[in-house]
Structure formats: C-alpha cells, structure tokens
Amino acid sequence: MPSLIDIRRRIRSVKNMQQITKAMKMVSAAKLRRAQERAIASRPYAKMMGRVLANIAAASAGSDEVAELPLLQVRDEKRIQLIVVSSDTGLAGAFNANLLRASQRFLDDRRPAELRIETIGRKARDYFRRRNISLTGEHIGIVEKPNIEQAREIADKMIDLYSKAEVDAVYVIVNEFKSVMAPSLVTRKILPVEIPEEGGEHIDYIYEQSPRELLSALLPRYVEMSIYRALLESLSAYHAARMTAMDAASSNAGDVISTLTLHLNRVRQASITREIIEIVSGAAAL
C-alpha cells in the first residue's frame, strides 16, 4: 500500500497536470475563435466563385474550346495524387488518427492505381515515413499560420502535374470544421475541376473575354482557393478538437484527484485507527 507521502505527491502531480490542460484549453479556445472566423469568412467567396464558374460553364455549354481546357479533362484514374492535411502537433484526441485511418483506407481502395502522396503537417509526414511510403512533397509549419501564398504554391504544383498528365486526379483529405464537438472528415476531388451545379437563378453575364479565357484564368484560382480553404478548415477543426480533448483531460484529472483524495483520507484514517489500537493495547498490557 502506498504511503501518505506517495499519495500526496501523486495528487500534487495530477493537479499540476490539470492546470496545464486547463491552460491549453484556454489557448485553443482563443485560437479557435480567430481560425473559425477566417474559415467562415472564406466560405462565401468560394461559394460565389463556384456560382461564377457554373454560370460561365452554362453560357458556354457545347463549346469545344471550353471542353478542351486542361483542368477540365477527365481521364481514367491510373495515377492519383493525394494531399493529406494533418496538424503539426497532437494532443487533439482522435483528430489525426481518424484522418490518417481514412487516408490509409483511401489508398487501399485504390491500390491498383499508382498512388502519390503529398503531406501537409508533421503528423501525416511521420505516419507515412514510419511505413516507408515515399512522398512527393511535405509541408511543415504552414498549418498553424496558413496564407494564400502557400496555398498557391501547392496549387501550382498540382496544376502542373495534372496539365502534363503526370497524374490523372488530385484528391485532398481534410478535417473540416463542423462543430466544436465533432469535425467533418472530407475527401474531395480538386482536379479535374468539377464545375459546381448551378444553384438559384441563372445570371446571364456580359463577358468581355471569351468563356475559354475566363475559365482559363478562374480555374487555377478555384484550385488555389480549394487548397487554401482546406488549410483554414483544418486549423479550425484542430483547435476545436484540441479544446475538447483538453477539457476532457481536465475533467478526468479532477476525477483522479477526487479518487486519490478519498483514498488518502481512508489511508490516513486507517493509520490513525491503527495507532490508537496500538496505544490502547499497550496501556492494557501495562
């Protein structure tokens, strides 16, 4: 049976840990608010860009010039590029585990095809390195502070690979922010670009340039925006998952402290009772 000193030492250790988890929860809550604002602010822009693409595509329906655009060419998926967006750090519950499990399932389901993997975040890179899976690229340190320039660099690389027919499709797997309690794990195809279905009233734009010229300029921006949104959504989902995990850890630490305190009181009571019995027994012997 542990001594009173050992139990007190363990209670003190758990209390220190609880203070750390509470502080980490507060930090993630503050960061979540900023990340959530950026992620939500990007959604209307992406939605409007999709509407513009849908209207241009509808206006140019049947045009061979538009159908021949490289980023719209649909090919048999014999060579697939996968982008996995994870976090650089852990302590976020099953955030990375679920993402990497889904990535492995994606690879297994498409095993006959030639698969290439590009990782964003240290956790995804380490996961594939441990399994001796070669990577076409790795990006560390950009998830915590995503910006459009980093997204453009990745998008340009994917567009170049697809335009040269080195890959037949590009997918991204990411945790999108849905709620604080549960992120939404999404697998999305970003190349070839799938023109969103036109929703609402059709707007008949008057174009200065031809639809081909407009789509040639907008499609790369659409791919770029898709990757940038993935970074923003992943950051929001990560801080939400980390805040939830740290809240659960703080609650569990409180339960451990209560259990240890109860055990401490019982051990102390038993010790006092034993000492009293020893004194009474000694007095009776005299």
Side-chain angles (χ1 to χ4, degrees):
M1 180 180 293
S3 64
L4 292 175
I5 295 177
D6 293 334
I7 297 175
R8 289 194 180 98
R9 185 181 295 118
R10 189 176 177 190
I11 291 174
R12 188 162 54 249
S13 175
V14 176
K15 283 183 177 179
N16 292 337
M17 192 178 301
Q18 187 183 44
Q19 289 178 350
I20 294 172
T21 55
K22 284 183 177 179
M24 293 175 70
K25 175 190 171 183
M26 293 176 62
V27 170
S28 288
K31 290 184 177 181
L32 170 62
R33 183 177 178 182
R34 294 194 296 269
Q36 185 180 352
E37 288 174 352
R38 293 180 67 186
I40 293 176
S42 70
R43 292 174 183 174
Y45 178 83
K47 185 177 180 180
M48 180 56 68
M49 181 176 285
R51 285 188 59 190
V52 172
L53 287 176
N55 278 286
I56 296 174
S60 60
S63 172
D64 292 337
E65 289 186 354
V66 171
E68 292 173 358
L69 285 171
L71 299 187
L72 296 177
Q73 297 298 311
V74 179
R75 302 189 287 266
D76 291 337
E77 297 184 2
K78 298 179 180 178
R79 297 177 298 273
I80 299 175
Q81 176 75 55
L82 176 64
I83 303 174
V84 183
V85 185
S86 71
S87 65
D88 287 328
T89 54
L91 300 176
F95 177 84
N96 288 304
N98 291 337
L99 174 78
L100 297 173
R101 195 178 298 115
S103 303
Q104 190 63 55
R105 189 161 53 246
F106 178 93
L107 298 178
D108 295 337
D109 292 343
R110 292 164 175 79
R111 185 59 64 185
E114 178 187 337
L115 296 162
R116 306 181 180 192
I117 302 172
E118 186 109 356
T119 60
I120 300 176
R122 183 175 285 106
K123 291 296 181 179
R125 182 201 66 179
D126 294 346
Y127 174 84
F128 291 110
R129 275 188 176 180
R130 286 194 299 269
R131 285 155 181 78
N132 296 320
I133 298 176
S134 59
L135 304 175
T136 59
E138 56 186 56
H139 307 272
I140 308 298
I142 73 172
V143 183
E144 277 294 328
K145 295 181 179 180
N147 62 62
I148 195 67
E149 295 298 329
Q150 296 162 337
R152 182 176 297 123
E153 180 183 342
I154 299 172
D156 289 343
K157 179 180 179 179
M158 296 300 113
I159 291 171
D160 185 59
L161 290 173
Y162 190 80
S163 300
K164 293 179 180 178
E166 294 185 24
V167 296
D168 300 316
V170 179
Y171 289 84
V172 60
I173 295 182
V174 62
N175 279 303
E176 289 192 345
F177 179 78
K178 183 179 180 182
S179 68
V180 174
M181 297 304 296
S184 176
L185 191 57
V186 175
T187 301
R188 182 178 292 116
K189 181 190 287 188
I190 60 175
L191 284 171
V193 175
E194 297 177 340
I195 300 295
E197 293 184 5
E198 188 180 354
E201 183 181 356
H202 170 68
I203 301 175
D204 188 14
Y205 295 106
I206 298 175
Y207 304 108
E208 257 184 49
Q209 296 88 1
S210 66
R212 178 184 175 86
E213 291 178 352
L214 287 172
L215 286 175
S216 296
L218 287 176
L219 289 176
R221 302 286 79 78
Y222 188 73
V223 176
E224 173 186 309
M225 188 61 194
S226 297
I227 295 177
Y228 182 53
R229 270 197 65 201
L231 296 177
L232 294 177
E233 295 282 354
S234 179
L235 180 61
S236 299
Y238 169 72
H239 283 303
R242 188 167 190 176
M243 188 179 71
T244 303
M246 292 301 101
D247 181 60
S250 300
S251 177
N252 291 339
D255 293 341
V256 172
I257 291 170
S258 299
T259 302
L260 289 174
T261 302
L262 181 61
H263 183 55
L264 173 68
N265 292 334
R266 286 177 176 173
V267 171
R268 184 171 56 189
Q269 184 179 11
S271 176
I272 294 172
T273 302
R274 186 174 57 253
E275 290 176 0
I276 292 174
I277 291 174
E278 290 175 354
I279 294 173
V280 172
S281 300
L286 294 175

